Amino acid sequence: MKDKTIDYMLRSTWQAVSRMYNEEAAKFEGSMAIGFALLSIDKEDGTPSSYISSRMGMEPTSLTRTLKALEDKGLIIRKKNPDDGRGVLIYLTPEGKEKRELSKSTVIKFNDTIRKHISEEKLLHFMEVAETINDLIAEKKVF
């Protein structure tokens, strides 16, 4: 597109980042969604699934699929919440903790690489712009 729109740049950039993470995760029989889910789970104390979905911005059905995949791979276990018998806490298995650290190092490497190529001032402006766009959408000021 000769005159790229803001939404085009956001979408194409996110698709590139998503593709990059999925290619890296595939080397370890994972996916970006699995990596981010692992990062959303407390290493020691477990995490309610509702917290994971809100942190990742996932719909409940997508989260259910992701958690099922994590469980099938032996990366998490579910236990009743001792403080709320209706709830479930998600805990990492030892292998889940290893994969979480791998995901963490991958995210850190991406961020370090970007920070080496883009000045702190430009990144600050990028963050401000992204935050403003999110606020405008959340406050329903676009449509």
Side-chain angles (χ1 to χ4, degrees):
M1 292 176 70
K2 189 173 185 178
D3 297 314
K4 293 179 180 169
T5 62
I6 295 164
D7 62 314
Y8 172 84
M9 290 304 298
L10 289 170
R11 188 176 54 251
S12 65
T13 301
W14 177 246
Q15 286 174 345
V17 169
S18 179
R19 192 169 37 255
M20 173 200 68
Y21 275 135
N22 277 316
E23 287 172 4
E24 187 63 22
K27 296 175 186 174
F28 305 97
E29 299 177 17
S31 69
M32 182 185 72
I34 286 174
F36 282 138
L38 291 171
L39 290 170
S40 298
I41 300 170
D42 186 277
K43 286 192 299 191
E44 304 303 329
D45 299 326
T47 304
S49 59
S50 58
Y51 176 79
I52 299 167
S53 65
S54 66
R55 184 151 186 229
M56 293 181 64
M58 287 181 106
E59 294 296 322
T61 51
S62 296
L63 179 64
T64 300
R65 261 193 317 272
T66 300
L67 292 177
K68 176 85 172 100
L70 289 168
E71 204 167 28
D72 290 348
K73 291 176 180 288
L75 302 177
I76 64 164
I77 55 171
R78 301 174 202 230
K79 295 182 183 176
K80 279 193 168 198
N81 186 337
D83 299 326
D84 178 3
R86 299 168 296 161
V88 173
L89 294 176
I90 310 297
Y91 289 88
L92 296 169
T93 64
E95 186 180 356
K97 289 178 183 180
E98 288 176 23
K99 297 283 188 184
R100 183 185 190 281
E101 288 306 310
L102 186 59
S103 296
K104 183 178 175 181
S105 67
T106 301
V107 170
I108 289 170
K109 183 176 181 179
F110 170 75
N111 279 269
D112 287 347
T113 301
I114 298 302
R115 290 183 188 285
K116 285 178 187 169
H117 291 86
I118 299 174
S119 72
E120 205 56 41
E121 181 182 8
K122 285 183 178 182
L123 284 173
L124 180 61
H125 289 300
F126 171 75
M127 299 293 189
E128 290 170 352
V129 168
E131 188 174 324
T132 300
I133 291 170
N134 281 324
D135 289 346
L136 289 169
I137 293 168
E139 295 166 10
K140 305 209 181 294
K141 292 186 176 178
V142 178
F143 300 112

